[in-house]
Amino acid sequence: MSGINNHPYPLRTVQVTRYVTPLREGGSLPALTEADDGFLYVLKFRGAGQGVKALIAELIGGETARALGLKVPEIVFATLDQDYGRNEGDEEIQDLLKSSVGLNLALHYLSGAITYDPVVTTIDENLASKIVWLDCLLTNVDRTVRNTNMLMWHQELWLIDHGASLYFHHSWDNWEEQATRPFAKIKDHVLLPQATQIAAVDSAFRAILTPERIRAIVDLVPEEWLTGHEDISPAERREVYAQFLIRRVASSEIFVKEAVYARSTLI
């Protein structure tokens, strides 16, 4: 079954065969597509918005969440050929497809899933604490009441859309400093009010996210997504991602303290 929570590395690669419909969320214009394996996927285009950086954040963020036992739709690499979307009538979408030829990223489509609504569904304190810890680690600014980026599917909570994570990579100048900073924006996290066990979660998650596990996740990033930077090689750029996360885990007490403080101001 596709869409399950765990899968062996490496990630699968599918060929996109049909553009079903755009999902006009924010400025990234993801789309519901069908692939050659017969499944539907939410496709994230390399030619949209922040380009491959959003795909890198999506990949690292999603697979880190999966490594921690959280539910994430299966992530696959999705290839677009030059003929794909040639008959698309929408000029904006056609331009997006043309600029996204090659390797993109996609998440298994959870048919029938509904957006998590904190008014309707209460998440238990342990799960809320795990997600808050994850988003502190990833510096994910996009899990708020306005945009929860979580789905309820078969009465379980699934995490989606990690493309706004790792925002240090939009400016590489001081990544070492950013790796050990508290995450002040956690105060806006939709699950912070329920996250009473962040300190307990910290100990368990630090044990899971060893440097070896982090490097295995970062190694999933295709080299072609790391090219095009004259100042640093793809290997060096990959190492920065790994070192950022390794250092952040090692100094997690800093962001845990910030999250606990932020929650105390709510109650």
Side-chain angles (χ1 to χ4, degrees), residues 183-243:
F183 184 50
K185 290 186 179 295
I186 200 62
K187 64 182 176 58
D188 300 320
H189 199 288
V190 64
L191 295 181
L192 186 61
Q194 295 111 280
T196 63
Q197 302 174 19
I198 304 171
V201 164
D202 179 52
S203 178
F205 278 4
R206 283 170 63 112
I208 294 171
L209 289 181
T210 62
E212 293 76 19
R213 179 68 68 90
I214 289 171
R215 290 188 185 280
I217 293 170
V218 173
D219 282 348
L220 294 171
V221 178
E223 183 167 338
E224 69 180 81
W225 291 357
L226 300 168
T227 59
H229 307 277
E230 296 180 359
D231 58 325
I232 185 172
S233 71
E236 291 171 324
R237 192 160 289 260
R238 189 186 305 278
E239 182 63 16
V240 169
Y241 281 108
Q243 283 297 327

Side-chain angles (χ1 to χ4, degrees), residues 91-252:
E91 186 174 335
E92 182 182 14
I93 294 175
Q94 192 173 85
D95 289 342
L96 177 62
L97 298 177
K98 287 179 180 178
S99 63
S100 299
V101 169
L103 199 63
N104 297 269
L105 199 71
L107 284 78
H108 179 85
Y109 178 62
L110 304 181
S111 179
I114 60 173
T115 299
Y116 167 72
D117 184 343
V119 176
V120 175
T121 305
T122 300
I123 302 303
D124 75 72
E125 295 176 351
N126 183 256
L127 179 56
S129 299
K130 289 178 176 179
I131 296 170
V132 166
W133 191 97
L134 168 74
D135 289 334
C136 284
L137 171 72
L138 298 174
T139 61
N140 182 13
V141 299
D142 206 7
R143 191 112 58 203
T144 64
V145 173
R146 186 176 61 85
N147 192 27
T148 65
N149 282 330
M150 294 182 288
L151 300 175
M152 295 301 300
W153 192 55
H154 297 303
Q155 299 182 326
E156 293 181 310
L157 188 72
W158 291 71
L159 307 183
I160 59 170
D161 286 348
H162 294 93
S165 303
L166 304 175
Y167 59 76
F168 81 92
H169 67 177
H170 297 293
S171 174
W172 295 81
D173 296 340
N174 60 343
W175 68 266
E176 297 98 333
E177 179 186 344
Q178 293 189 57
T180 57
R181 281 181 183 170
F183 184 50
K185 290 186 179 295
I186 200 62
K187 64 182 176 58
D188 300 320
H189 199 288
V190 64
L191 295 181
L192 186 61
Q194 295 111 280
T196 63
Q197 302 174 19
I198 304 171
V201 164
D202 179 52
S203 178
F205 278 4
R206 283 170 63 112
I208 294 171
L209 289 181
T210 62
E212 293 76 19
R213 179 68 68 90
I214 289 171
R215 290 188 185 280
I217 293 170
V218 173
D219 282 348
L220 294 171
V221 178
E223 183 167 338
E224 69 180 81
W225 291 357
L226 300 168
T227 59
H229 307 277
E230 296 180 359
D231 58 325
I232 185 172
S233 71
E236 291 171 324
R237 192 160 289 260
R238 189 186 305 278
E239 182 63 16
V240 169
Y241 281 108
Q243 283 297 327
F244 176 86
L245 290 171
I246 290 169
R247 295 185 187 197
R248 195 147 182 81
V249 170
S251 59
S252 63

Side-chain angles (χ1 to χ4, degrees), residues 35-52:
D36 58 357
D37 61 356
F39 288 107
L40 293 175
Y41 293 91
V42 176
L43 184 64
K44 306 297 183 76
F45 295 98
R46 64 187 297 163
Q50 300 293 340
V52 294

Side-chain angles (χ1 to χ4, degrees), residues 39-94:
F39 288 107
L40 293 175
Y41 293 91
V42 176
L43 184 64
K44 306 297 183 76
F45 295 98
R46 64 187 297 163
Q50 300 293 340
V52 294
K53 287 184 179 179
L55 304 190
I56 291 170
E58 187 78 64
L59 175 54
I60 293 177
E63 292 305 320
T64 298
R66 196 188 314 280
L68 294 173
L70 299 168
K71 292 189 176 297
V72 181
E74 183 188 9
I75 298 174
V76 300
F77 296 120
T79 57
L80 292 182
D81 61 36
Q82 292 183 344
D83 294 327
Y84 182 79
R86 179 171 290 178
N87 297 323
E88 172 59 46
D90 187 306
E91 186 174 335
E92 182 182 14
I93 294 175
Q94 192 173 85

